[in-house]
Amino acid sequence: MNSQKVMVALDNMDRETMHGFLSTLPKECPWVKIGLEQYLSHGQDLVKEIQERYQKEIFLDLKLHDIPNTVAKALKGLKNLPIRFVTVHLSGGEAMLKAVQDIRNEHLPQVDILGVSFLTSLDHRDLNHLFGIEKDSIEDAFKRLFNLALTTETQGIVCSPFELSTVKACEKEAGRKLTKVTPGIRFQDEITGGKIGDQKRVLNPHEAFGEGADYLVMGRSLTQANDLQARIRELNS
Ligand code: C5P
C-alpha cells in the first residue's frame, strides 16, 4: 500500500488543528513529519504525545547544520524520543556527518539519518552567488553531496523527484543504496489544475515511486484535502 510510504507533513497547524487532523488520519497512513516550526513551538512533548496518542512513526525534520561537536551533541539530545528519521544538512561536511553517525550508532541506533542537499529554495543564481557554482555544474555539485552521504554511511537523503535519477547514478557507481525520501509531490488533478502552490516542479505519487523514491513527503495535498479518505484510496489504487 503506497500510503504506508507517505510521510504526512504536519506544517502550518496550531496544536488543536493538528490533533483534529491526526484523529482523522487512518492507520493506512502510519508516518508523519514534524518540522522545525512545530518542534520549536511545542518541543519534545509534542513528539512523544503524537507517538503515544496516534501510534505514528515520526520523521523529525530539524535540518541540523553546525560544527561536528555541536550537531552530534544536539542529536544526542533526541535520544529518548520515539522518532525514526532525523535530517541534517549534507553541506555540514564530512567530519560533521561522521560525528553524526558515531553518535547515532552509540545512542540512537533506531534512528536513521537523512541528509539534505541544497535547499530547493535556492535557484541557480543563488548557488552561483553563494558558492560560485555555474549553472551547468549544479548536477556535479549535487553528486558530490550525495556521494558524501554514501561515503559517510548516512542512511538516506531527502531529494526532489527530479534528483532521483542523479542519486540512482551515484548509488550504482558506489554499489550502495540510500533511503530516498522525496517531497515536491502533488496529485495528478492538482498538477493538471495548476494547484501546486509554492512548489515549482512536482510529480504525482505514482510517478515519484516509479522513479525510485522509498518514501514521499506530502503536506497540503493531504492536510488540506476536501476528502482525505478519498485521497488515501487514490494513493493506494
Ligand atoms: O505541502 P507540501 O506537500 O508542499 O509540503 C512539503 C513538505 O516537504 C514541507 O514540510 C516542506 O518543508 C518539505 N520540503 C520541501 N522541499 C524540500 C524539502 C522539504 O517541500 N526540498
Side-chain angles (χ1 to χ4, degrees), residues 9-14 17-18 37-38 220 223-224:
L10 303 176
D11 303 322
N12 314 308
M13 288 187 222
D14 60 28
T17 313
M18 196 184 316
E37 172 198 342
Q38 302 292 2
R220 289 159 287 183
T223 57
Q224 296 175 14

Side-chain angles (χ1 to χ4, degrees), residues 7-12 33 35 59 61 63 116-121 158-160 163 182-186 196-199 202 217-224:
M7 296 162 155
V8 184
L10 303 176
D11 303 322
N12 314 308
K33 180 177 90 91
F59 165 19
D61 189 14
K63 297 191 177 68
V116 177
S117 62
F118 296 121
L119 295 172
T120 42
S121 52
V158 179
C159 69
S160 104
E163 288 162 3
T182 305
I185 307 296
R186 289 290 180 272
I196 62 171
D198 52 3
Q199 296 281 7
V202 293
V217 173
M218 295 184 73
R220 289 159 287 183
S221 295
L222 296 171
T223 57
Q224 296 175 14

Side-chain angles (χ1 to χ4, degrees), residues 184-222:
I185 307 296
R186 289 290 180 272
F187 288 105
Q188 189 54 46
D189 64 288
E190 296 177 301
I191 299 174
T192 312
K195 290 192 199 133
I196 62 171
D198 52 3
Q199 296 281 7
K200 291 199 179 84
R201 296 168 74 212
V202 293
L203 286 188
N204 74 41
H206 295 284
E207 288 170 329
F209 282 123
E211 285 295 311
D214 296 297
Y215 294 91
L216 307 184
V217 173
M218 295 184 73
R220 289 159 287 183
S221 295
L222 296 171

Side-chain angles (χ1 to χ4, degrees), residues 69-111:
N69 181 58
T70 304
V71 172
K73 294 269 166 58
L75 188 66
K76 192 175 168 188
L78 304 175
K79 73 175 186 179
N80 293 320
L81 283 183
I83 55 174
R84 295 281 305 279
F85 288 106
V86 68
T87 38
V88 302
H89 274 279
L90 292 170
S91 53
E94 187 176 13
M96 187 199 94
L97 296 169
K98 284 184 172 164
V100 161
Q101 284 303 309
D102 289 345
I103 289 287
R104 178 253 179 203
N105 293 339
E106 191 177 344
H107 297 284
L108 316 89
Q110 76 286 4
V111 178

